[in-house]
């Protein structure tokens, strides 16, 4: 069972590191939180919660967590492209000009095979 996450960015931020868990353990855990599952064309498992935060499991076991969408007063999404780290904290992935920030793509969260 993962530890408590920091929260504040959707259900995917409310639990901690999934590292070392099996895919079946993660499947049982996130489905227990109400996630819907689908498989993408690339073979990733994508769990989506009611608040639209997500957990993606890549074929190599890497975990990627996009936060729940947040919108500005003009209706535009203000957290597009951001990710959550393994504790549920929001990670800035792009500079103000839209350029990728190195070292933010992989947070090190990975499942056991």
């Amino acid at each position: 069972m993962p530890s408590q996450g920091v929260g504040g960015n959707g259900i995917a931020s409310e639990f901690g590191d999934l590292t070392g868990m099996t895919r079946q353990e993660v499947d049982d855990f996130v489905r227990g939180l109400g996630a819907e599952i689908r498989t993408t064309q690339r073979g990733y498992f994508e769990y989506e919660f009611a608040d639209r935060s997500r957990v993606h499991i890549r074929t190599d076991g890497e975990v990627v967590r996009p936060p729940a969408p947040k919108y500005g007063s003009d209706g535009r999404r203000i957290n597009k492209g951001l990710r959550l780290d393994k504790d549920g904290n929001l990670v800035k992935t792009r500079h103000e000009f839209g350029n990728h920030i190195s070292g933010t793509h992989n947070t090190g969260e990975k499942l056991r095979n």
Side-chain angles (χ1 to χ4, degrees), residues 35-71:
E36 299 276 330
I37 185 174
R38 66 170 103 6
T39 305
T40 68
Q41 288 181 339
R42 293 184 172 176
Y44 298 176
F45 293 95
E46 180 180 88
Y47 298 91
E48 184 173 2
F49 297 101
D51 61 12
R52 295 183 46 217
S53 65
R54 295 186 171 114
V55 173
H56 298 255
I57 310 294
R58 294 186 171 166
T59 55
D60 67 354
E62 181 184 0
V63 178
V64 177
R65 297 196 228 183
K70 291 186 181 177
Y71 300 93

Side-chain angles (χ1 to χ4, degrees), residues 7-109:
N9 288 293
I11 295 171
S13 70
E14 294 177 359
F15 52 88
D17 196 353
L18 300 173
T19 297
M21 295 177 71
T22 66
R23 204 192 73 68
Q24 186 60 55
E25 289 170 333
V26 170
D27 186 79
D28 294 343
F29 175 73
V30 296
R31 283 180 189 250
L33 297 173
E36 299 276 330
I37 185 174
R38 66 170 103 6
T39 305
T40 68
Q41 288 181 339
R42 293 184 172 176
Y44 298 176
F45 293 95
E46 180 180 88
Y47 298 91
E48 184 173 2
F49 297 101
D51 61 12
R52 295 183 46 217
S53 65
R54 295 186 171 114
V55 173
H56 298 255
I57 310 294
R58 294 186 171 166
T59 55
D60 67 354
E62 181 184 0
V63 178
V64 177
R65 297 196 228 183
K70 291 186 181 177
Y71 300 93
S73 59
D74 61 358
R76 292 178 40 197
R77 186 167 173 187
I78 58 175
N79 66 346
K80 187 173 182 172
L82 299 182
R83 293 188 178 181
L84 301 170
D85 70 9
K86 57 188 172 183
D87 297 315
N89 295 298
L90 201 57
V91 175
K92 187 173 180 180
T93 57
R94 299 199 177 269
H95 291 292
E96 63 187 278
F97 301 113
N99 299 324
H100 181 72
I101 300 171
S102 62
T104 61
H105 184 73
N106 184 335
T107 61
E109 192 173 13

